[in-house]
Amino acid sequence: MWRRIQKHYPPGLDILTFSVMFGIFIYVFFMYGKLPDEIPIHFNTAGEADDWGNKATLFGLMLIHFHAVVLMFVLNYFLIIRSADTVDSLQLINIPFVNKEELTEEQIGMVKTNIARMFAITNLILSFMFSAIYYDIIQHALGEPDGLGFGFEVLLVLLFIPIFYYIKKTYRDVKTR
């Protein structure tokens, strides 16, 4: 499995993604007993808590985080990386103004590599975003500074950079060869 992934991007990206996820889960479990029964569960656009709920809500958020990261990894591996270098492997990838049947094996490989990298980097940023949310919720519940921190906003912007970059790169790679 790692050898196949390594053809498209460093497997360390996935290891880091899962490490961040499990690391923040450990932090949540460690801090859970210190939290009040009611914690902030929603923040408005100004970053101020505007809804409160039971601290057990963190477990639901952890479940969503776990499923999102695992689903992104599984989709990336089975639908992109593991598929053969044929036009059929691109059936779920939309490349506007490109006739997929005319792509060479080399171009198909480039498309798959770009999409696989985009998925892996996006998954890593997503894991950091969830971690920032847990951290900010816990800090707010413990009476630390109000609102979501600046890190969440940066990560939200960073989430879109690899998506736009790899879509543009894929289109450029296919059109110039």
Side-chain angles (χ1 to χ4, degrees):
M1 176 169 91
W2 295 116
R3 212 173 290 146
R4 285 187 180 181
I5 292 172
Q6 199 167 23
K7 285 174 44 181
H8 299 284
Y9 60 88
L13 281 175
D14 292 325
I15 293 168
L16 182 58
T17 300
F18 282 94
S19 297
V20 167
M21 180 179 69
F22 289 122
I24 198 69
F25 286 178
I26 290 168
Y27 173 73
V28 169
F29 284 119
F30 177 73
M31 298 301 290
Y32 190 79
K34 299 176 183 178
L35 294 174
D37 288 336
E38 199 171 72
I39 62 169
I41 59 171
H42 190 269
F43 295 84
N44 62 21
T45 55
E48 301 159 344
D50 62 1
D51 197 9
W52 296 77
N54 191 305
K55 66 181 179 179
T57 306
L58 287 171
F59 294 119
L61 187 60
M62 287 171 41
L63 192 64
I64 293 168
H65 181 183
F66 178 79
H67 279 99
V69 167
V70 170
L71 182 63
M72 287 277 288
F73 175 79
V74 167
L75 288 174
N76 193 16
Y77 184 73
F78 287 103
L79 295 181
I80 308 297
I81 295 170
R82 201 162 164 224
S83 63
D85 285 343
T86 63
V87 174
D88 292 339
S89 69
L90 301 180
Q91 63 182 324
L92 298 175
I93 300 170
N94 185 18
I95 311 170
F97 312 111
V98 172
N99 185 355
K100 291 183 202 174
E101 283 73 29
E102 295 175 2
L103 297 177
T104 65
E105 266 189 48
E106 179 188 2
Q107 289 172 316
I108 292 170
M110 287 189 307
V111 169
K112 287 177 55 176
T113 295
N114 289 337
I115 300 302
R117 286 177 182 169
M118 179 185 70
F119 263 72
I121 293 169
T122 302
N123 205 14
L124 177 61
I125 295 169
L126 185 68
S127 198
F128 275 119
M129 282 183 66
F130 270 102
S131 299
I133 291 169
Y134 295 124
Y135 181 78
D136 289 336
I137 286 173
I138 289 171
Q139 291 306 305
H140 187 87
L142 294 175
E144 296 299 320
D146 286 352
L148 288 175
F150 180 69
F152 176 78
E153 295 164 353
V154 170
L155 289 168
L156 186 60
V157 171
L158 283 178
L159 183 65
F160 292 99
I161 291 173
I163 295 170
F164 291 127
Y165 172 78
Y166 282 109
I167 288 172
K168 182 178 179 181
K169 184 175 181 353
T170 299
Y171 186 74
R172 195 173 357 114
D173 287 349
V174 169
K175 281 301 209 182
T176 58
R177 298 183 195 239

